[in-house]
Amino acid sequence: MTGPLSVEARSKQFGAAEGDGIVRCDACPILCRIRPGRAGACARYANENGQLVRTDPVLLLDRAVEQGRPLVPFARQDWDGELLAPASTFVTGVGAGTTYPDYKPAPLIISAQHEGVETVTVVTEGIFSYCDVKVKIDTDRHLGPETAAVRVAGEQVGHVTTAEYGSQMFSIGGVRHLTGGSKKEGNVTCDAMLKLCSAEAVEMTIDGGHTVVVQAGHAPLVDGKPEARMRVGCGSATVGIFAKQWLGHVDEVIVVDDHITGVLTEHQAGKVLGMPPSGVQVAGRKSTPGRYFQVANPGLGWGGTDITDPLAIIRKIDPKVARPGLRLLMTSTTGEDAFYCTLDEQLKPVEAEMPAAVRAVVERIGENCEPSLCSVLFVAGAGGSLRAGVTENPVLLTRSVAAGETRVTLGGAPAYHWPGGGITVMVDVTRMPRNSFGYVPTPAIVAPIEFSMPRKLYERLGGHAGAIVSIDDMLRSLAAEARVEPWAAANPWPHRGG
Ligand code: SF4
């Protein structure tokens, strides 16, 4: 096959022939010397008959199905790309390869017409030493103290960071664990990040906490037990949401929560509904009326506390206010734990059968919980030398991305660009194609990245205009060796007006 991007031409972009058929891969600083028929240390490059080849095919995303055309076959040897419409084909960085050192133009710089505008997409596989993974685990349960070390196979790979609303958060990876500790710490960290980004399950233990298995898009396993529900809200919010539905069926409701426990009759919601005080007082520190902090210790029990007996958080039942027969409901923020009782003549709580109307509201709390999931967001700094493969004047690219003129995607998935300096992007790994990520043993993570912009802008940015190849030529040359998948309809088309 001939053409500007034939296999032969692409192989010349990477690597140098040495004696005895050995090829030196220069796609990363490891500079593997690869014997014929063998692969390099990362398995991403191999020596095929004396030529260095990328072992995975380039991934093309096709909007055919969306546009009513049949999807093209995968890597058919006799296929010349004819069925792919250039205007609806997106060339991803998956399998594109990496040029190193960075001053070389990126492996693929593709021009195409989109809605009458000539665009350029610069496509590469970035090698990210500065990258990490933010993990969101939808559970109330206390997995470990904030800032505690998160370990895989005994090595610290990250830490517990600030909890969000209904979710525990981990920060995994980052340059300090990749480069700042022992070789083993770096390798285990890299491997954990690669698995998390590839939506594989990773078991982690938290110092002073528990074991959790995290897998993007799946429920977490806490100490081997799958989590089912993400809470409806904090204890105070739960009181606020359901107060009216409890009115007339109970005299007091306590929603147990490690952060903000709600007490209905003291809460503004109960007051507005005209509910009289119950005299049931909870432990902990009062924040505002009906909202209590620290009613117990954090744990795997009710509402992320360590309690299994809800009555343990009742500090006092005031005999001047409480009355025999008072109906009390205690529930967790997911409705998974609930306890109903009445006060006897001595004002002692006595468990009783939960009335159907009260049960219905507890069930509604459960109904309003979303499924508990793990989310994995890959965060990477593309603000460094990778930019030189795009333009000779990297700061212009940074400014263009910041201004929103150049769109950044990872495997076609939209990336959130952090404000401020550099090009720090964050992407949901489940929106990216499968097998998007790789690694090199430096250690660092390899991820696809694409910069899309109008051609005129690319030229103004000092882009490598001489390396631009039209999508028609690219498809003719590479389609037979490409992997073709449908464009993910939920992802916005990266080109203007798309
Ligand atoms: S580790 Fe991979 S990318 Fe780096 S030189 Fe070796 S084969 Fe090439």
Side-chain angles (χ1 to χ4, degrees), residues 190-236:
C190 187
D191 186 56
M193 288 175 68
L194 181 58
K195 285 188 172 130
L196 287 168
C197 289
S198 306
E200 292 177 33
V202 177
E203 182 176 289
M204 307 182 204
T205 54
I206 296 103
D207 285 5
H210 299 270
T211 298
V212 59
V213 176
V214 170
Q215 184 173 12
H218 290 73
L221 263 75
V222 181
D223 285 350
K225 208 173 144 213
E227 186 64 291
R229 297 181 190 176
M230 179 185 187
R231 70 180 187 174
V232 66
C234 69
S236 171

mmCIF file of all heavy atoms in Angstrom, residues 190-236:
data_model
loop_
_atom_site.group_PDB
_atom_site.id
_atom_site.type_symbol
_atom_site.label_atom_id
_atom_site.label_comp_id
_atom_site.label_asym_id
_atom_site.label_seq_id
_atom_site.Cartn_x
_atom_site.Cartn_y
_atom_site.Cartn_z
ATOM 1 N N CYS A 190 1.038 2.872 38.801
ATOM 2 C CA CYS A 190 0.761 2.929 37.361
ATOM 3 C C CYS A 190 -0.219 1.826 36.974
ATOM 4 O O CYS A 190 -1.185 2.058 36.241
ATOM 5 C CB CYS A 190 2.080 2.799 36.593
ATOM 6 S SG CYS A 190 1.934 3.060 34.833
ATOM 7 N N ASP A 191 0.008 0.641 37.498
ATOM 8 C CA ASP A 191 -0.858 -0.495 37.180
ATOM 9 C C ASP A 191 -2.283 -0.269 37.704
ATOM 10 O O ASP A 191 -3.262 -0.553 37.005
ATOM 11 C CB ASP A 191 -0.263 -1.771 37.801
ATOM 12 C CG ASP A 191 -1.021 -3.000 37.380
ATOM 13 O OD1 ASP A 191 -1.145 -3.218 36.170
ATOM 14 O OD2 ASP A 191 -1.517 -3.726 38.257
ATOM 15 N N ALA A 192 -2.389 0.275 38.926
ATOM 16 C CA ALA A 192 -3.730 0.535 39.493
ATOM 17 C C ALA A 192 -4.464 1.577 38.664
ATOM 18 O O ALA A 192 -5.660 1.431 38.365
ATOM 19 C CB ALA A 192 -3.605 0.996 40.946
ATOM 20 N N MET A 193 -3.756 2.622 38.261
ATOM 21 C CA MET A 193 -4.390 3.664 37.443
ATOM 22 C C MET A 193 -4.843 3.097 36.096
ATOM 23 O O MET A 193 -5.940 3.396 35.622
ATOM 24 C CB MET A 193 -3.408 4.812 37.200
ATOM 25 C CG MET A 193 -3.136 5.653 38.415
ATOM 26 S SD MET A 193 -1.879 6.878 38.070
ATOM 27 C CE MET A 193 -2.728 7.929 36.951
ATOM 28 N N LEU A 194 -3.965 2.298 35.490
ATOM 29 C CA LEU A 194 -4.299 1.715 34.184
ATOM 30 C C LEU A 194 -5.558 0.859 34.290
ATOM 31 O O LEU A 194 -6.460 0.939 33.451
ATOM 32 C CB LEU A 194 -3.114 0.889 33.671
ATOM 33 C CG LEU A 194 -3.270 0.236 32.307
ATOM 34 C CD1 LEU A 194 -3.564 1.269 31.238
ATOM 35 C CD2 LEU A 194 -2.013 -0.546 31.939
ATOM 36 N N LYS A 195 -5.635 0.063 35.351
ATOM 37 C CA LYS A 195 -6.816 -0.799 35.514
ATOM 38 C C LYS A 195 -8.066 0.047 35.762
ATOM 39 O O LYS A 195 -9.129 -0.222 35.194
ATOM 40 C CB LYS A 195 -6.591 -1.768 36.676
ATOM 41 C CG LYS A 195 -5.638 -2.895 36.313
ATOM 42 C CD LYS A 195 -5.579 -3.941 37.406
ATOM 43 C CE LYS A 195 -4.789 -5.153 36.944
ATOM 44 N NZ LYS A 195 -3.776 -5.556 37.897
ATOM 45 N N LEU A 196 -7.954 1.045 36.629
ATOM 46 C CA LEU A 196 -9.121 1.890 36.915
ATOM 47 C C LEU A 196 -9.604 2.575 35.632
ATOM 48 O O LEU A 196 -10.808 2.630 35.356
ATOM 49 C CB LEU A 196 -8.779 2.939 37.977
ATOM 50 C CG LEU A 196 -8.634 2.421 39.407
ATOM 51 C CD1 LEU A 196 -8.016 3.484 40.303
ATOM 52 C CD2 LEU A 196 -9.986 1.980 39.973
ATOM 53 N N CYS A 197 -8.649 3.095 34.847
ATOM 54 C CA CYS A 197 -9.021 3.801 33.614
ATOM 55 C C CYS A 197 -9.600 2.832 32.577
ATOM 56 O O CYS A 197 -10.369 3.234 31.711
ATOM 57 C CB CYS A 197 -7.810 4.519 33.028
ATOM 58 S SG CYS A 197 -7.314 5.941 33.999
ATOM 59 N N SER A 198 -9.207 1.569 32.658
ATOM 60 C CA SER A 198 -9.722 0.565 31.715
ATOM 61 C C SER A 198 -10.995 -0.097 32.240
ATOM 62 O O SER A 198 -11.419 -1.132 31.721
ATOM 63 C CB SER A 198 -8.646 -0.504 31.463
ATOM 64 O OG SER A 198 -7.447 0.098 31.050
ATOM 65 N N ALA A 199 -11.588 0.500 33.288
ATOM 66 C CA ALA A 199 -12.830 0.000 33.888
ATOM 67 C C ALA A 199 -12.683 -1.430 34.403
ATOM 68 O O ALA A 199 -13.616 -2.235 34.338
ATOM 69 C CB ALA A 199 -14.015 0.121 32.930
ATOM 70 N N GLU A 200 -11.480 -1.734 34.905
ATOM 71 C CA GLU A 200 -11.280 -3.028 35.581
ATOM 72 C C GLU A 200 -11.395 -2.822 37.091
ATOM 73 O O GLU A 200 -11.217 -1.705 37.584
ATOM 74 C CB GLU A 200 -9.894 -3.589 35.251
ATOM 75 C CG GLU A 200 -9.738 -4.016 33.802
ATOM 76 C CD GLU A 200 -8.325 -4.502 33.515
ATOM 77 O OE1 GLU A 200 -7.687 -5.076 34.408
ATOM 78 O OE2 GLU A 200 -7.858 -4.272 32.386
ATOM 79 N N ALA A 201 -11.678 -3.909 37.817
ATOM 80 C CA ALA A 201 -11.834 -3.821 39.270
ATOM 81 C C ALA A 201 -10.473 -3.747 39.954
ATOM 82 O O ALA A 201 -9.537 -4.452 39.567
ATOM 83 C CB ALA A 201 -12.599 -5.043 39.769
ATOM 84 N N VAL A 202 -10.372 -2.868 40.950
ATOM 85 C CA VAL A 202 -9.138 -2.741 41.741
ATOM 86 C C VAL A 202 -9.511 -2.774 43.217
ATOM 87 O O VAL A 202 -10.384 -2.025 43.659
ATOM 88 C CB VAL A 202 -8.405 -1.416 41.417
ATOM 89 C CG1 VAL A 202 -7.167 -1.258 42.295
ATOM 90 C CG2 VAL A 202 -8.006 -1.357 39.945
ATOM 91 N N GLU A 203 -8.852 -3.667 43.957
ATOM 92 C CA GLU A 203 -9.093 -3.727 45.407
ATOM 93 C C GLU A 203 -8.119 -2.795 46.126
ATOM 94 O O GLU A 203 -6.916 -2.854 45.890
ATOM 95 C CB GLU A 203 -8.921 -5.162 45.912
ATOM 96 C CG GLU A 203 -9.210 -5.275 47.407
ATOM 97 C CD GLU A 203 -9.150 -6.703 47.909
ATOM 98 O OE1 GLU A 203 -10.056 -7.492 47.579
ATOM 99 O OE2 GLU A 203 -8.191 -7.036 48.631
ATOM 100 N N MET A 204 -8.662 -1.956 46.983
ATOM 101 C CA MET A 204 -7.831 -0.996 47.711
ATOM 102 C C MET A 204 -8.135 -1.112 49.202
ATOM 103 O O MET A 204 -9.279 -1.358 49.592
ATOM 104 C CB MET A 204 -8.161 0.430 47.278
ATOM 105 C CG MET A 204 -8.096 0.643 45.786
ATOM 106 S SD MET A 204 -8.449 2.341 45.383
ATOM 107 C CE MET A 204 -9.005 2.164 43.718
ATOM 108 N N THR A 205 -7.092 -0.894 50.011
ATOM 109 C CA THR A 205 -7.317 -0.848 51.461
ATOM 110 C C THR A 205 -6.944 0.539 51.949
ATOM 111 O O THR A 205 -6.012 1.166 51.432
ATOM 112 C CB THR A 205 -6.476 -1.901 52.201
ATOM 113 O OG1 THR A 205 -5.112 -1.732 51.823
ATOM 114 C CG2 THR A 205 -6.908 -3.313 51.865
ATOM 115 N N ILE A 206 -7.681 0.991 52.939
ATOM 116 C CA ILE A 206 -7.456 2.342 53.466
ATOM 117 C C ILE A 206 -6.896 2.221 54.866
ATOM 118 O O ILE A 206 -7.459 1.496 55.703
ATOM 119 C CB ILE A 206 -8.763 3.161 53.474
ATOM 120 C CG1 ILE A 206 -9.246 3.347 52.031
ATOM 121 C CG2 ILE A 206 -8.563 4.534 54.101
ATOM 122 C CD1 ILE A 206 -10.354 2.498 51.645
ATOM 123 N N ASP A 207 -5.790 2.919 55.132
ATOM 124 C CA ASP A 207 -5.199 2.892 56.467
ATOM 125 C C ASP A 207 -6.227 3.377 57.486
ATOM 126 O O ASP A 207 -6.835 4.446 57.312
ATOM 127 C CB ASP A 207 -3.962 3.812 56.525
ATOM 128 C CG ASP A 207 -2.753 3.189 55.820
ATOM 129 O OD1 ASP A 207 -2.916 2.102 55.227
ATOM 130 O OD2 ASP A 207 -1.670 3.805 55.866
ATOM 131 N N GLY A 208 -6.438 2.600 58.541
ATOM 132 C CA GLY A 208 -7.411 2.982 59.560
ATOM 133 C C GLY A 208 -8.848 2.860 59.090
ATOM 134 O O GLY A 208 -9.770 3.390 59.716
ATOM 135 N N GLY A 209 -9.053 2.165 57.961
ATOM 136 C CA GLY A 209 -10.409 2.049 57.420
ATOM 137 C C GLY A 209 -10.679 0.653 56.889
ATOM 138 O O GLY A 209 -10.325 -0.339 57.521
ATOM 139 N N HIS A 210 -11.241 0.593 55.716
ATOM 140 C CA HIS A 210 -11.774 -0.664 55.200
ATOM 141 C C HIS A 210 -11.187 -0.997 53.829
ATOM 142 O O HIS A 210 -10.383 -0.238 53.285
ATOM 143 C CB HIS A 210 -13.298 -0.568 55.141
ATOM 144 C CG HIS A 210 -13.895 -0.342 56.492
ATOM 145 N ND1 HIS A 210 -14.264 -1.368 57.328
ATOM 146 C CD2 HIS A 210 -14.116 0.805 57.189
ATOM 147 C CE1 HIS A 210 -14.709 -0.877 58.462
ATOM 148 N NE2 HIS A 210 -14.645 0.435 58.406
ATOM 149 N N THR A 211 -11.643 -2.137 53.304
ATOM 150 C CA THR A 211 -11.241 -2.561 51.958
ATOM 151 C C THR A 211 -12.384 -2.274 51.004
ATOM 152 O O THR A 211 -13.549 -2.526 51.328
ATOM 153 C CB THR A 211 -10.943 -4.084 51.956
ATOM 154 O OG1 THR A 211 -9.858 -4.320 52.860
ATOM 155 C CG2 THR A 211 -10.553 -4.572 50.576
ATOM 156 N N VAL A 212 -12.057 -1.717 49.864
ATOM 157 C CA VAL A 212 -13.107 -1.425 48.891
ATOM 158 C C VAL A 212 -12.628 -1.853 47.510
ATOM 159 O O VAL A 212 -11.459 -1.665 47.168
ATOM 160 C CB VAL A 212 -13.519 0.078 48.939
ATOM 161 C CG1 VAL A 212 -12.348 0.990 48.667
ATOM 162 C CG2 VAL A 212 -14.648 0.390 47.975
ATOM 163 N N VAL A 213 -13.542 -2.466 46.764
ATOM 164 C CA VAL A 213 -13.239 -2.821 45.378
ATOM 165 C C VAL A 213 -13.948 -1.801 44.495
ATOM 166 O O VAL A 213 -15.155 -1.606 44.597
ATOM 167 C CB VAL A 213 -13.704 -4.259 45.037
ATOM 168 C CG1 VAL A 213 -13.463 -4.560 43.558
ATOM 169 C CG2 VAL A 213 -12.976 -5.263 45.914
ATOM 170 N N VAL A 214 -13.157 -1.145 43.664
ATOM 171 C CA VAL A 214 -13.661 -0.058 42.811
ATOM 172 C C VAL A 214 -13.574 -0.494 41.356
ATOM 173 O O VAL A 214 -12.545 -1.000 40.922
ATOM 174 C CB VAL A 214 -12.802 1.214 43.032
ATOM 175 C CG1 VAL A 214 -13.135 2.269 41.994
ATOM 176 C CG2 VAL A 214 -12.990 1.757 44.437
ATOM 177 N N GLN A 215 -14.660 -0.271 40.626
ATOM 178 C CA GLN A 215 -14.672 -0.526 39.174
ATOM 179 C C GLN A 215 -15.602 0.497 38.535
ATOM 180 O O GLN A 215 -16.777 0.601 38.939
ATOM 181 C CB GLN A 215 -15.154 -1.953 38.893
ATOM 182 C CG GLN A 215 -15.108 -2.308 37.414
ATOM 183 C CD GLN A 215 -15.425 -3.774 37.152
ATOM 184 O OE1 GLN A 215 -15.897 -4.487 38.047
ATOM 185 N NE2 GLN A 215 -15.176 -4.224 35.944
ATOM 186 N N ALA A 216 -15.099 1.227 37.579
ATOM 187 C CA ALA A 216 -15.895 2.291 36.942
ATOM 188 C C ALA A 216 -17.218 1.734 36.425
ATOM 189 O O ALA A 216 -17.246 0.699 35.752
ATOM 190 C CB ALA A 216 -15.114 2.912 35.786
ATOM 191 N N GLY A 217 -18.306 2.396 36.793
ATOM 192 C CA GLY A 217 -19.630 2.001 36.301
ATOM 193 C C GLY A 217 -20.270 0.866 37.071
ATOM 194 O O GLY A 217 -21.350 0.396 36.706
ATOM 195 N N HIS A 218 -19.598 0.376 38.128
ATOM 196 C CA HIS A 218 -20.133 -0.723 38.929
ATOM 197 C C HIS A 218 -20.304 -0.284 40.382
ATOM 198 O O HIS A 218 -19.672 0.671 40.824
ATOM 199 C CB HIS A 218 -19.199 -1.936 38.890
ATOM 200 C CG HIS A 218 -19.171 -2.614 37.554
ATOM 201 N ND1 HIS A 218 -18.540 -2.062 36.463
ATOM 202 C CD2 HIS A 218 -19.707 -3.782 37.139
ATOM 203 C CE1 HIS A 218 -18.689 -2.874 35.419
ATOM 204 N NE2 HIS A 218 -19.391 -3.921 35.805
ATOM 205 N N ALA A 219 -21.115 -1.046 41.130
ATOM 206 C CA ALA A 219 -21.289 -0.765 42.557
ATOM 207 C C ALA A 219 -20.000 -1.101 43.293
ATOM 208 O O ALA A 219 -19.332 -2.086 42.965
ATOM 209 C CB ALA A 219 -22.436 -1.600 43.108
ATOM 210 N N PRO A 220 -19.643 -0.290 44.298
ATOM 211 C CA PRO A 220 -18.452 -0.627 45.082
ATOM 212 C C PRO A 220 -18.725 -1.816 45.990
ATOM 213 O O PRO A 220 -19.876 -2.060 46.382
ATOM 214 C CB PRO A 220 -18.215 0.645 45.908
ATOM 215 C CG PRO A 220 -19.558 1.289 46.028
ATOM 216 C CD PRO A 220 -20.303 0.939 44.771
ATOM 217 N N LEU A 221 -17.665 -2.554 46.326
ATOM 218 C CA LEU A 221 -17.761 -3.615 47.331
ATOM 219 C C LEU A 221 -17.009 -3.119 48.561
ATOM 220 O O LEU A 221 -15.809 -2.838 48.475
ATOM 221 C CB LEU A 221 -17.078 -4.887 46.834
ATOM 222 C CG LEU A 221 -17.949 -5.964 46.194
ATOM 223 C CD1 LEU A 221 -18.359 -5.526 44.809
ATOM 224 C CD2 LEU A 221 -17.177 -7.260 46.105
ATOM 225 N N VAL A 222 -17.707 -2.984 49.663
ATOM 226 C CA VAL A 222 -17.066 -2.512 50.893
ATOM 227 C C VAL A 222 -16.907 -3.711 51.819
ATOM 228 O O VAL A 222 -17.915 -4.325 52.217
ATOM 229 C CB VAL A 222 -17.912 -1.405 51.568
ATOM 230 C CG1 VAL A 222 -17.217 -0.909 52.834
ATOM 231 C CG2 VAL A 222 -18.150 -0.253 50.603
ATOM 232 N N ASP A 223 -15.674 -4.042 52.141
ATOM 233 C CA ASP A 223 -15.368 -5.252 52.917
ATOM 234 C C ASP A 223 -16.109 -6.457 52.329
ATOM 235 O O ASP A 223 -16.704 -7.267 53.050
ATOM 236 C CB ASP A 223 -15.731 -5.057 54.398
ATOM 237 C CG ASP A 223 -14.733 -4.169 55.118
ATOM 238 O OD1 ASP A 223 -13.673 -3.875 54.533
ATOM 239 O OD2 ASP A 223 -15.019 -3.770 56.256
ATOM 240 N N GLY A 224 -16.098 -6.547 51.027
ATOM 241 C CA GLY A 224 -16.682 -7.690 50.326
ATOM 242 C C GLY A 224 -18.176 -7.612 50.099
ATOM 243 O O GLY A 224 -18.748 -8.476 49.433
ATOM 244 N N LYS A 225 -18.829 -6.558 50.613
ATOM 245 C CA LYS A 225 -20.296 -6.466 50.496
ATOM 246 C C LYS A 225 -20.666 -5.401 49.465
ATOM 247 O O LYS A 225 -20.226 -4.250 49.582
ATOM 248 C CB LYS A 225 -20.848 -6.065 51.871
ATOM 249 C CG LYS A 225 -22.240 -6.558 52.114
ATOM 250 C CD LYS A 225 -22.667 -6.292 53.540
ATOM 251 C CE LYS A 225 -24.136 -5.939 53.550
ATOM 252 N NZ LYS A 225 -24.538 -5.021 54.536
ATOM 253 N N PRO A 226 -21.467 -5.768 48.466
ATOM 254 C CA PRO A 226 -21.818 -4.753 47.467
ATOM 255 C C PRO A 226 -22.702 -3.655 48.052
ATOM 256 O O PRO A 226 -23.633 -3.949 48.812
ATOM 257 C CB PRO A 226 -22.559 -5.539 46.382
ATOM 258 C CG PRO A 226 -22.859 -6.868 46.955
ATOM 259 C CD PRO A 226 -22.050 -7.072 48.182
ATOM 260 N N GLU A 227 -22.390 -2.424 47.727
ATOM 261 C CA GLU A 227 -23.221 -1.295 48.157
ATOM 262 C C GLU A 227 -24.359 -1.165 47.150
ATOM 263 O O GLU A 227 -24.152 -1.316 45.941
ATOM 264 C CB GLU A 227 -22.356 -0.026 48.181
ATOM 265 C CG GLU A 227 -23.036 1.199 48.735
ATOM 266 C CD GLU A 227 -23.407 1.042 50.205
ATOM 267 O OE1 GLU A 227 -24.321 0.230 50.488
ATOM 268 O OE2 GLU A 227 -22.825 1.713 51.056
ATOM 269 N N ALA A 228 -25.568 -0.894 47.657
ATOM 270 C CA ALA A 228 -26.703 -0.844 46.739
ATOM 271 C C ALA A 228 -27.203 0.578 46.514
ATOM 272 O O ALA A 228 -27.444 0.992 45.379
ATOM 273 C CB ALA A 228 -27.832 -1.714 47.279
ATOM 274 N N ARG A 229 -27.345 1.348 47.607
ATOM 275 C CA ARG A 229 -28.028 2.629 47.460
ATOM 276 C C ARG A 229 -27.128 3.818 47.768
ATOM 277 O O ARG A 229 -26.373 3.793 48.738
ATOM 278 C CB ARG A 229 -29.217 2.704 48.431
ATOM 279 C CG ARG A 229 -30.278 1.659 48.164
ATOM 280 C CD ARG A 229 -31.412 1.820 49.157
ATOM 281 N NE ARG A 229 -32.351 0.707 49.092
ATOM 282 C CZ ARG A 229 -33.379 0.564 49.910
ATOM 283 N NH1 ARG A 229 -33.609 1.462 50.873
ATOM 284 N NH2 ARG A 229 -34.196 -0.466 49.788
ATOM 285 N N MET A 230 -27.275 4.853 46.959
ATOM 286 C CA MET A 230 -26.665 6.150 47.277
ATOM 287 C C MET A 230 -27.735 6.942 48.009
ATOM 288 O O MET A 230 -28.873 7.038 47.550
ATOM 289 C CB MET A 230 -26.277 6.861 45.985
ATOM 290 C CG MET A 230 -25.670 8.220 46.195
ATOM 291 S SD MET A 230 -25.391 9.026 44.611
ATOM 292 C CE MET A 230 -24.509 10.481 45.140
ATOM 293 N N ARG A 231 -27.394 7.525 49.150
ATOM 294 C CA ARG A 231 -28.410 8.135 49.999
ATOM 295 C C ARG A 231 -29.201 9.234 49.275
ATOM 296 O O ARG A 231 -28.703 9.875 48.351
ATOM 297 C CB ARG A 231 -27.756 8.712 51.256
ATOM 298 C CG ARG A 231 -26.908 9.934 50.969
ATOM 299 C CD ARG A 231 -26.290 10.446 52.237
ATOM 300 N NE ARG A 231 -25.608 11.713 51.991
ATOM 301 C CZ ARG A 231 -25.070 12.456 52.929
ATOM 302 N NH1 ARG A 231 -25.098 12.074 54.186
ATOM 303 N NH2 ARG A 231 -24.492 13.595 52.649
ATOM 304 N N VAL A 232 -30.384 9.465 49.765
ATOM 305 C CA VAL A 232 -31.254 10.481 49.157
ATOM 306 C C VAL A 232 -30.746 11.878 49.464
ATOM 307 O O VAL A 232 -30.928 12.808 48.682
ATOM 308 C CB VAL A 232 -32.714 10.265 49.617
ATOM 309 C CG1 VAL A 232 -32.875 10.509 51.110
ATOM 310 C CG2 VAL A 232 -33.672 11.158 48.845
ATOM 311 N N GLY A 233 -30.089 12.043 50.593
ATOM 312 C CA GLY A 233 -29.554 13.345 51.003
ATOM 313 C C GLY A 233 -28.989 13.184 52.397
ATOM 314 O O GLY A 233 -28.961 12.081 52.947
ATOM 315 N N CYS A 234 -28.538 14.274 53.003
ATOM 316 C CA CYS A 234 -28.087 14.182 54.390
ATOM 317 C C CYS A 234 -29.318 14.032 55.290
ATOM 318 O O CYS A 234 -30.462 14.078 54.818
ATOM 319 C CB CYS A 234 -27.267 15.419 54.771
ATOM 320 S SG CYS A 234 -28.246 16.926 54.871
ATOM 321 N N GLY A 235 -29.092 13.853 56.599
ATOM 322 C CA GLY A 235 -30.219 13.658 57.509
ATOM 323 C C GLY A 235 -31.167 14.846 57.499
ATOM 324 O O GLY A 235 -32.397 14.685 57.505
ATOM 325 N N SER A 236 -30.610 16.040 57.446
ATOM 326 C CA SER A 236 -31.438 17.248 57.439
ATOM 327 C C SER A 236 -32.253 17.340 56.148
ATOM 328 O O SER A 236 -33.452 17.647 56.166
ATOM 329 C CB SER A 236 -30.533 18.472 57.595
ATOM 330 O OG SER A 236 -31.261 19.649 57.389
#
